[in-house]
């Protein structure tokens, strides 16, 4: 399993509740692709959301996000962490 | 204190040791601006590094990164987290 950071843009004005709902929608189906979304951070002002996950591939991350209704704009493996 | 996610580009080929050294350089001086760098993730292939911090302002985050020799390309407050 690899860690991934994905980025969503255009989420200007996102609220804490909307972020939690979007994250819950991912968690509800993530096991079907052996993905685990660990954390997410949002900036309502610039509209950027970052999601950290563990997954077998970037495609698996994107499939869960797409099915949950919020396709990512970028998905990057982040094999190095400190 | 607010959480910030900052992004560095152009770090293609970064190694685990280089990431650790860069992070240590931040940690060594972060207290001078009341910043704390909590975690960092790197993708050597695309050359992107993400850093998560807690700080009084985006400017404080940037000042530490600049003094440590690696100015960020973007610094975003991420007040929402899940």
């Amino acid at each position: 399993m690899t860690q991934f950071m994905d980025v969503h843009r255009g989420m200007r004005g996102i609220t804490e509740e909307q972020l939690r709902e979007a994250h819950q929608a991912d968690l509800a189906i993530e096991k079907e692709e052996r993905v685990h979304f660990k954390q997410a951070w949002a900036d309502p002002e610039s509209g950027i959301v970052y999601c950290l996950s563990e997954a077998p591939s970037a495609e698996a991350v994107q499939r869960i996000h797409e099915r949950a209704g919020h396709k990512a704009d970028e998905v990057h493996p982040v094999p190095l962490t400190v």
Side-chain angles (χ1 to χ4, degrees), chain A:
Chain A
M1 298 296 250
T2 306
Q3 285 201 109
F4 292 87
M5 186 74 82
D6 66 74
V7 184
H8 305 253
R9 300 180 197 281
M11 309 293 280
R12 208 158 277 144
I14 188 171
T15 65
E16 182 126 36
E17 192 183 341
Q18 287 170 330
L19 180 66
R20 196 168 38 235
E21 280 174 8
H23 187 59
Q24 284 301 329
D26 289 325
L27 295 183
I29 57 172
E30 65 178 15
K31 284 197 176 59
E32 296 169 29
E33 296 275 359
R34 298 192 301 133
V35 175
H36 178 49
F37 287 96
K38 301 165 82 169
Q39 231 177 322
W41 300 268
D43 177 12
E45 208 177 303
S46 68
I48 296 183
V49 176
Y50 299 95
C51 299
L52 181 69
S53 63
E54 253 180 33
S57 69
E59 292 71 25
V61 172
Q62 188 63 285
R63 278 194 294 270
I64 295 296
H65 272 338
E66 277 200 84
R67 288 177 51 203
H70 43 253
K71 191 177 170 184
D73 293 293
E74 300 170 32
V75 183
H76 296 284
V78 282
L80 306 185
T81 185
V82 69

